Structure formats: C-alpha cells, structure tokens
Amino acid sequence: MEGPGRVRPMRPTWVEVDLDAIAHNVETLQRLAAPAELMAVVKADGYGHGAVMVARTALAHGARRLAVAVVEEGVHLRQSAIACPILVMGWTPPWQYGLALRYDLELTVSSEEEARALAEAARREGRRVRVHLKVDTGMGRLGLRWDHPRLAEVAARIAGLGGLELVGVFTHLATADDPDAPLTEEQLARFGRIVATLDERGLRPLLRHAANSAALLRLPGARYDLVRPGIALYGLEPFRGAVAAFDLRPALAWKTRVALVKEVPAGTPISYGATFVTRRPSRIAVLPVGYADGLRRALSNRGQVLVGGRRVPIVGRVCMDQVMVDVTDAGPVAVGDEAVLIGRQGDEAITADEMAGWMDTIGYEVVTGIGRRVPRIYLRGGRPVAQAPLSHLL
Ligand SMILES: *Cc1c(COP(=O)(O)O)cnc(C)c1O
C-alpha cells in the first residue's frame, strides 16, 4: 500500500472506502456497547473493504480486538504489524496450528479433543495458545452443544490443559436480526445458564461474548464482556432500518466510468443471448465492469446504476468484464463520465443493501463479492490516502 501520488492511474473501475465512516461507526457502536469491549470483525478482507485499513481504523477509534474467519487472515494482519489480540472464529485444522501459534492468534475450539490436540501442539512448540470455547446454543454450526450433559466439566478440563489458556466462551445467534424470532431468547437463556454454571465452578473466562451487529444494536442483554460487530462497522444493514436508526454510515462506494456511448435504433439486441432488445431509438452506455468484478450476473435486466445523477437500468446480460446500461433518459452522457454502482451521485444513492435486494441476497454477499481485480482507494476527509492492491501489472 502506498500513497496514491506514487501509483500510476488505475483501471476505471474502483472501490472507495471512507475511513471516516468506519471510524464513526466504530465509535457509535463502542458507545452503545460500553462497558463491553469491541472486537472488530474483519474477516473476508474486511467484508471486501480491505482488512488492514479497516483494522487500523477500528483500533484507532476504540476497538480492542479483531476477529477473522481463517488463520491466513490473521497472519495477514500480523504481517501488517497489527499487534492486538486476533481471534480466528472458524475451524482451524491441525495442520495450521503451527502457523496460528507462530503468529500468536487466538483460536476457537468446539470440543475437548480439539482443545487437547491444540494444547499438545502448543506444548511441543514451547508456547501457550489462547482459546475461546464456542458453544452452540442453537445456531447449529460450530461449537459444543449447549445440552452436552457435562459441558462444565469439559470446560474445566480444557481450562486445565497445560499450554492452553481458556480466555473466552462464546456463542453465535442465528436470528438476532429478527425481533419476532423466539430462538434468540432461547439462545441467550441457554448461554446465560452456561455462563452461570461455569461461574459456579469458579471458571470465569475473561471474555464472554455473544453479540454480532444485530444483537449488539437490539439486545443489551447479549453484550456481555465483548461484542463482535461486522456488518454494522461497514455501515450496512444487520436488519432493515438499522443504518438509519443508529446513524451508521456506509463506508463503501463502487464506481466505474463510461467506456462508450452509442445511439442505436429500435430493435437492437444488447449483450449475450439477446435477452434485451431496444424498443425505441436508444442510447446505450458500456461500462467496464462485470461479474468477474463481483457485479453479479443475476443483475442482468434487473439492476440499476447511477449516471448523471439518475438511475438507469442495466440492459441485457451482465458480461464477465462489461455491462450495458440504457442512458436514453439520462441527459448528456460522455465517455469517461462516472457511473456509480454503489454509493451516491447527486441526490441519488444506491446502497449495497438495495443491490442485494435486486438479486435476492444480503448486503454482506454484495460487498464480500467485489472482486480482487477492483482496486480499493481509501479516503480520509474526502481525500485519497492509500490504495490497495497496487496493480501487479505496473
Ligand atoms: C461474521 C461473524 C460475526 C459478525 O456478524 P455481523 O452480522 O456481520 O455483525 C460475529 N460472530 C461470528 C461468529 C461471525 O462468524
């Protein structure tokens, strides 16, 4: 990563990440969560925003810890000189224990066997590994099931393993985004009982945590010692209305530039399969972005883009590297004009959540799906301060 002044002009399709928005979101969430600590979830390259820049910003604005899904993501942060505790929330396979230990990552364990194997690896390397015990209270994913008949004994045995330090116990909620789902209450009740049982046995892991973004915002009882927001850090919706209600700011904009404008007669087919045929004399703009960049093919003949401050429809199929939009009603449009896929232009805005709606998915999938081929530009005070990755083609 270098200052933008030192790099050559990049391709005309890029993502802008507003670090001030990330900072604002972290501070807003930290204020809500206090006295609980905030662990910024930066898995999947910071939900597509760039893990290192998001992590640095989050840590500078109140986050105390980071969480990732896989060991390599943690290693990447360490190699970028990030020294805070980093939790790997996913399953770490035994062949990555050495790597995780070397880079001082905290790991998640879901069973006693896993904890034993990990402790043994740590002893072999002359190290201590910090672990968080995951409890499955109803998500049905990783974790020791809450109704395990001897959960407290298992936890006690894990805590007693040499080479291992049990620093946390946590669970993950399946329905925290849905105020009507009875499962959330049940999961929290189960977790509460487990925490109490551990307490009775004098086993009080430093960090008890349960709250993703939705739970942090909606459920004060889920905050415990540590909250684990992801999506809300980025200013996207953990549930509908959250961004407005909690004054979160979307950090990511995705832009491109018009590559070509052409006037075509009625009856002109556009793109593969000729699924769109102009019904009137039309102006069609070609944009140099496609599904290989993460502009999903499901948006063919469905999505919209902002050009000249107006919404214009995607026409025909989204190609691997290009897409066409109908700018007949958009006023003057010239080659090089900016087109916005996600973000603001004039008085109009398209959010990742709106784009997600067009293809029946969630904002999470939209932003994590923006391809590595798309450079990320980082802004502070509205000005670019860094770019990543530098193109290997230069
Ligand atoms: C991804 C993840 C989070 C963050 O979830 P958001 O909905 O993005 O806030 C928290 N905890 C775990 C275990 C996760 O996998």
Side-chain angles (χ1 to χ4, degrees):
M1 215 164 301
E2 292 182 43
R6 300 185 52 193
V7 301
R8 291 218 218 159
M10 53 189 183
R11 68 176 291 213
T13 295
W14 71 99
V15 156
E16 291 174 2
V17 178
D18 178 359
L19 296 176
D20 297 330
I22 303 271
H24 165 86
N25 296 337
V26 172
E27 286 173 1
T28 302
L29 296 170
Q30 177 62 80
R31 256 197 311 276
L32 260 174
E37 279 187 24
L38 191 146
M39 175 159 73
V41 178
V42 297
K43 62 191 177 186
D45 200 23
Y47 290 44
H49 294 59
V52 173
M53 292 301 281
V54 170
R56 286 187 186 143
T57 305
L59 291 169
H61 290 270
R64 304 285 287 279
R65 301 173 157 261
L66 298 171
V68 294
V70 307
V71 169
E72 283 88 339
E73 293 175 329
V75 171
H76 178 56
L77 294 169
R78 285 279 184 259
Q79 288 177 337
S80 307
I82 289 173
C84 73
I86 299 175
L87 171 64
V88 177
M89 298 187 297
W91 175 60
T92 298
W95 61 86
Q96 290 197 308
Y97 288 169
L99 190 61
L101 287 163
R102 238 172 0 266
Y103 284 92
D104 193 25
L105 304 176
E106 297 184 356
L107 298 183
T108 295
V109 298
S110 293
S111 71
E112 188 173 350
E113 301 78 72
E114 209 181 345
R116 282 187 185 285
L118 184 54
E120 202 185 301
R123 285 195 303 271
R124 263 201 316 271
E125 303 226 355
R127 294 178 190 263
R128 255 169 101 71
V129 60
R130 284 193 299 277
V131 306
H132 296 236
L133 174 62
K134 179 88 186 268
V135 183
D136 173 12
T137 56
M139 173 77 182
R141 202 170 68 176
L142 285 185
L144 192 62
R145 270 180 64 92
W146 84 93
D147 57 356
H148 185 290
R150 276 175 296 279
L151 195 145
E153 280 115 278
V154 169
R157 283 201 296 274
I158 291 175
L161 290 170
L164 183 151
E165 190 183 344
L166 183 63
V167 294
V169 58
F170 74 113
T171 194
H172 193 47
L173 302 172
T175 52
D177 56 326
D178 177 0
D180 301 321
L183 180 58
T184 311
E185 289 289 308
E186 257 176 78
Q187 284 197 264
L188 286 174
R190 289 165 183 164
F191 189 61
R193 284 198 295 276
I194 287 159
V195 161
T197 311
L198 296 184
D199 234 352
E200 280 161 26
R201 298 181 125 252
L203 234 186
R204 198 177 202 288
L206 218 51
L207 298 166
R208 303 160 302 172
H209 47 112
N212 57 4
S213 297
L216 154 58
L217 296 177
R218 289 189 44 239
L219 304 163
R223 290 173 191 157
Y224 285 97
D225 305 312
L226 180 67
V227 294
R228 307 190 303 266
I231 202 74
L233 292 178
Y234 305 97
L236 299 179
E237 303 271 36
F239 51 87
R240 191 188 292 267
V243 166
F246 294 93
D247 182 35
L248 300 171
R249 298 189 192 149
L252 181 145
W254 188 8
K255 300 179 177 177
T256 185
R257 290 191 185 281
V258 172
L260 185 68
V261 188
K262 53 176 60 175
E263 309 267 353
V264 300
T268 303
I270 303 292
S271 195
Y272 288 117
T275 59
F276 179 85
V277 178
T278 55
R279 267 185 240 109
R280 55 178 178 170
S282 303
R283 262 184 317 145
I284 303 296
V286 181
L287 305 178
V289 58
Y291 60 77
D293 298 304
L295 188 72
R296 297 244 314 261
R297 198 164 169 277
L299 293 172
S300 300
N301 292 309
R302 296 189 71 149
Q304 297 175 345
V305 170
L306 305 180
V307 177
R310 277 187 231 207
R311 286 171 179 261
V312 299
I314 290 176
V315 290
R317 291 217 177 116
V318 177
C319 308
M320 188 183 291
D321 318 296
Q322 297 170 72
V323 66
M324 274 61 77
V325 292
D326 183 342
V327 295
T328 312
D329 301 323
V333 176
V335 170
D337 282 2
E338 183 184 274
V340 172
L341 308 169
I342 294 174
R344 279 203 158 278
Q345 194 185 54
D347 297 332
E348 277 288 355
I350 292 173
T351 62
D353 291 300
E354 183 179 11
M355 182 184 276
W358 295 329
M359 40 195 196
D360 202 18
T361 182
I362 52 179
Y364 297 68
E365 200 183 19
V366 168
V367 288
T368 57
I370 300 176
R372 290 178 54 88
R373 195 168 74 172
V374 181
R376 271 63 168 174
I377 306 286
Y378 295 93
L379 308 179
R380 236 184 250 121
R383 298 168 55 85
V385 292
Q387 176 182 336
L390 291 177
S391 172
H392 56 279
L393 300 174
L394 297 178

